[in-house]
Amino acid sequence: MANRTPRLLLTSLKTRLRALFLLPLAALQAGCSGVFFFPDSVTYVTPDRLNLEYEDIYLETADGETLHGWWLPAKDSETTKGTVYFLHGNAQNISSHIFNVAWLPAEGYNIFTLDYRGYGRSTGAPDIEGALHDVETGMRWLGSHPEVRDGPVFLLGQSLGGALGIPLAGEWVERGEEPGLDGVILDGTFSGFRGIAREKLGSVWLTWLLQIPLSWTIPAEYEGIDRIDDISPVPVMVIHSVRDGIIPFHHGKDLYRAAEEPKEFLQTDTPHASTFVIPAYKQSLLNFLSKATR
C-alpha cells in the first residue's frame, strides 16, 4: 500500500491536468457551468485498504438524486476532537481524494465526505447549482448525526470543494444552522467560478474572444471572493501553493484579502491538492483545528 499511494496521487494529478486542458474545449461545446466537473465511477481505493473503519452513507436530495458518501470515525471514540466535512476537487471521486484526509482519524477527527451528483456512486449529472444542493444535503445529514452534535465541526474544501464550501458556509452561518461551524479551511481554491473560467478561457487562443460571453453563462451569485466575508466570525484558513499549476497562487491571496477576521493564510510549496503529503502542513492544519473550537 505504501507504493500504491504515490501512484494514485500521480494518476489524480494527471486527471486534473487533463481536465484543465479540456476546459476551454468543453466550454465551446456546452457553455461554462459544466466544465468544472470531471467525474468518474472508478473505485480507486476504499478506506478499509487504508486500515480505516468506515460506513457507506446514502442521502436523498430534495430533487430526487441519491448521493454516496463515507463516514470515517475517529480512531479513538473516547478522545474525539471534532468532525471534518471534506469537500473534494473536480476530478474522479471520493475514492481518489480520500488520501487527503485519511490521516485525520488517527489525529482524533471524524471525517464525512460525499460525492456530488454524477460522481462515483452518486446519481445524476453535475452542475454548479446541483452540487451546491448536494453539499448542503451533506451538511444537514451531519446535523442529524449523534456523534457530531456535541463537538466542533469544520469544513475542509479543496479546489472545487472550497468554491462550493464558501457559499454553503456563508449561508449556514447567516442562518444560524446546526451543526454550527467552528472553522472553514480552503485549500487550493479558486476565487470564483466566473473568474477562473474567464482566466482559463483567456489563456487559450481558441477561446480568448469568448472568455467574457461564455463566463456570463455561469451564475454570478456564487463567487467565493464576494461571499467569503459572510463566513465571519467563524475562523477561516486559506491554504495555497506557490507551485499550484492549476489554480494560480493569486486566487488564494485574493480570497484571504476578501475574508474577514479571524483568518489565517498558509503558503505552501506542493503541487495542486497535495498539501497534506508534507508533515509540517498537516501540523498547521491541526493547530488551526485546535484553536478554532467552541
Side-chain angles (χ1 to χ4, degrees):
M1 182 55 60
N3 292 330
R4 181 173 181 165
T5 300
R7 286 201 299 272
L8 286 170
L9 290 173
L10 180 59
T11 300
S12 180
L13 179 58
K14 287 179 178 177
T15 302
R16 296 186 191 112
L17 290 170
R18 184 167 61 250
L20 178 65
F21 174 76
L22 291 174
L23 187 152
L25 300 179
L28 284 174
Q29 296 176 334
C32 274
S33 180
V35 303
F36 292 99
F37 306 96
F38 293 86
D40 69 26
S41 300
V42 177
T43 299
Y44 295 90
V45 72
T46 51
D48 59 303
R49 298 292 301 274
L50 304 175
N51 298 316
L52 293 170
E53 293 183 29
Y54 78 106
E55 178 183 354
D56 285 303
I57 304 296
Y58 290 92
L59 306 177
E60 301 298 322
T61 68
D63 59 347
E65 302 297 349
T66 300
L67 308 178
H68 171 249
W70 283 333
W71 169 259
L72 285 66
K75 286 273 190 181
D76 185 354
S77 60
E78 299 293 322
T79 58
T80 300
K81 299 174 183 176
T83 299
V84 176
Y85 182 25
F86 175 57
L87 304 180
H88 65 73
N90 74 333
Q92 301 171 325
N93 58 69
I94 56 173
S95 70
S96 63
H97 291 271
I98 193 65
F99 296 102
N100 291 292
V101 291
W103 57 280
L104 281 166
E107 298 291 343
Y109 292 93
N110 304 313
I111 301 296
F112 178 57
T113 184
L114 57 72
D115 267 327
Y116 323 124
R117 60 189 63 200
Y119 283 76
R121 286 185 261 168
S122 296
T123 64
D127 60 32
I128 293 173
E129 293 191 344
L132 286 165
H133 287 304
D134 298 342
V135 297
E136 181 169 345
T137 299
M139 195 72 185
R140 294 196 180 283
W141 179 83
L142 277 176
S144 69
H145 199 293
E147 294 183 48
V148 174
R149 292 183 192 141
D150 297 329
V153 175
F154 305 93
L155 188 153
L156 167 58
Q158 282 192 321
S159 194
L160 170 69
L164 297 171
I166 292 171
L168 169 65
E171 292 179 12
W172 207 258
V173 171
E174 285 185 335
R175 297 195 301 251
E177 299 263 13
E178 292 293 332
L181 278 171
D182 294 272
V184 173
I185 304 97
L186 307 170
D187 180 15
T189 295
F190 48 87
S191 58
F193 290 96
R194 278 190 171 184
I196 191 67
R198 191 172 298 173
E199 188 173 305
K200 296 304 180 185
L201 291 167
S203 68
V204 178
W205 69 268
L206 187 64
T207 53
W208 186 87
L209 289 175
L210 300 173
Q211 59 183 285
I212 293 177
L214 281 176
S215 67
W216 286 343
T217 67
I218 299 172
E221 60 266 34
Y222 308 124
E223 295 297 274
I225 198 165
D226 299 326
R227 303 290 298 273
I228 193 169
D229 60 337
D230 295 336
I231 299 173
S232 180
V234 172
V236 173
M237 182 182 202
V238 179
I239 304 171
H240 218 105
S241 172
V242 293
R243 289 202 293 125
D244 193 322
I246 295 179
I247 308 299
F249 182 68
H250 75 83
H251 284 269
K253 295 298 289 185
D254 292 345
L255 284 172
Y256 177 73
R257 280 191 290 266
E260 298 287 345
E261 296 286 354
K263 59 183 180 179
E264 293 184 22
F265 187 82
L266 175 62
Q267 177 176 312
T268 59
D269 187 20
T270 61
H272 183 70
S274 301
T275 301
F276 303 118
V277 300
I278 305 298
Y281 300 155
K282 289 181 178 180
Q283 188 58 53
S284 294
L285 175 61
L286 293 173
N287 292 344
F288 176 81
L289 298 179
S290 179
K291 287 188 295 184
T293 56
R294 285 197 283 266

